[in-house]
Amino acid sequence: DAGITQSPRHKVTETGTPVTLRCHQTENHRYMYWYRQDPGHGLRLIHYSYGVKDTDKGEVSDGYSVSRSKTEDFLLTLESATSSQTSVYFCAISPDRGPQPQHFGDGTRLSIL
Amino acid sequence: LAKTTQPISMDSYEGQEVNITCSHNNIATNDYITWYQQFPSQGPRFIIQGYKTKVTNEVASLFIPADRKSSTLSLPRVSLSDTAVYYCLVVLTGANNLFFGTGTRLTVIP
């Protein structure tokens, strides 16, 4: 597998608390993505990054922010978590955009009570 | 905006060919269609990719008709280990325009 590590793998927290998920890669890929996966919706893009400090919104970005201060790390932050953000979150990487297969991490299961 | 639609589930017997179709309107000539496989508690894994006609690799084929309003993933002779959820992904111009289908749960029966 491509070198992608997501942390934590599981987290339970309460509504209103801030949450940060981390994605770390060892492949030196330019593009990094955050998705959420929910039953009946498949995978939906939250945010992506195309370089250090370069990020853009995806389909479901409301309530989420991201940061990329180093090539290898892409952070997803829920400033004030809500129960609707309970989901499985996946990070993915690719060398470039467009027709480049993405390699996914194994996901973070986040439960917001 | 382009959206993708897939059947929710399919069953197949071992050794049979399985075809999973993804519908995707409003995609441009150079937009790619990519298929992924996902097992429980794992991230999706790349299977195959193409943007026109037919592509074949060691595990699957991808058929894209001339109107490009759909694509079909073909798994030639499925085994029990092919039981998984299969997703199509359409990559539109601009990386933020990525649309995964809702996934097709394939169950292979002995």
Side-chain angles (χ1 to χ4, degrees):
Chain A
D1 288 345
I4 308 171
T5 304
Q6 290 187 233
S7 58
R9 292 295 314 280
H10 303 273
K11 186 174 182 65
V12 180
T13 190
E14 295 183 347
T15 300
T17 60
V19 177
T20 296
L21 308 182
R22 179 184 183 230
C23 178
H24 179 77
Q25 61 144 330
T26 58
E27 305 296 318
N28 200 35
H29 283 348
R30 179 184 175 197
Y31 276 74
M32 299 185 75
Y33 310 82
W34 277 108
Y35 293 89
R36 61 178 290 173
Q37 185 172 43
D38 305 290
H41 292 279
L43 288 134
R44 292 180 290 176
L45 181 65
I46 304 171
H47 282 279
Y48 73 99
S49 169
Y50 49 98
V52 174
K53 299 189 187 306
D54 293 322
T55 65
D56 204 349
K57 297 178 179 180
E59 184 184 2
V60 290
S61 60
D62 288 347
Y64 301 94
S65 62
V66 290
S67 64
R68 192 170 178 196
S69 59
K70 298 184 292 184
T71 298
E72 58 266 34
D73 289 326
F74 192 33
L75 304 181
L76 177 70
T77 298
L78 292 65
E79 299 290 349
S80 178
T82 67
S83 58
S84 65
Q85 294 174 310
T86 292
S87 186
V88 180
Y89 291 85
F90 286 97
C91 174
I93 63 173
S94 64
D96 208 335
R97 68 172 231 195
Q100 298 284 340
Q102 296 179 32
H103 299 283
F104 284 80
D106 285 333
T108 294
R109 185 172 296 275
L110 178 62
S111 298
I112 301 165
L113 307 178
Chain B
L1 291 177
K3 295 291 185 179
T4 55
T5 304
Q6 302 175 233
I8 293 175
S9 64
M10 299 179 68
D11 294 337
S12 176
Y13 288 102
E14 271 190 298
Q16 289 190 329
E17 178 183 76
V18 171
N19 296 310
I20 305 174
T21 298
C22 177
S23 299
H24 33 71
N25 294 319
N26 302 321
I27 68 170
T29 303
N30 294 325
D31 293 333
Y32 271 72
I33 298 102
T34 310
W35 284 83
Y36 291 84
Q37 176 191 57
Q38 186 179 28
F39 298 110
S41 299
Q42 295 184 18
R45 295 190 180 203
F46 171 81
I47 301 174
I48 196 167
Q49 178 178 260
Y51 71 99
K52 65 177 181 180
T53 59
K54 178 182 176 181
V55 178
T56 297
N57 63 20
E58 63 275 9
V59 298
S61 296
L62 175 60
F63 298 93
I64 303 169
D67 67 8
R68 294 168 52 77
K69 292 185 177 182
S70 66
S71 62
T72 299
L73 172 71
S74 180
L75 304 173
R77 287 173 300 280
V78 295
S79 64
L80 296 178
S81 62
D82 293 318
T83 293
V85 179
Y86 292 83
Y87 291 95
C88 68
L89 167 66
V90 174
V91 181
L92 306 183
T93 301
N96 57 321
N97 288 329
L98 299 169
F99 294 99
F100 271 91
T102 52
T104 299
R105 183 175 300 277
L106 172 66
T107 302
V108 180
I109 305 165

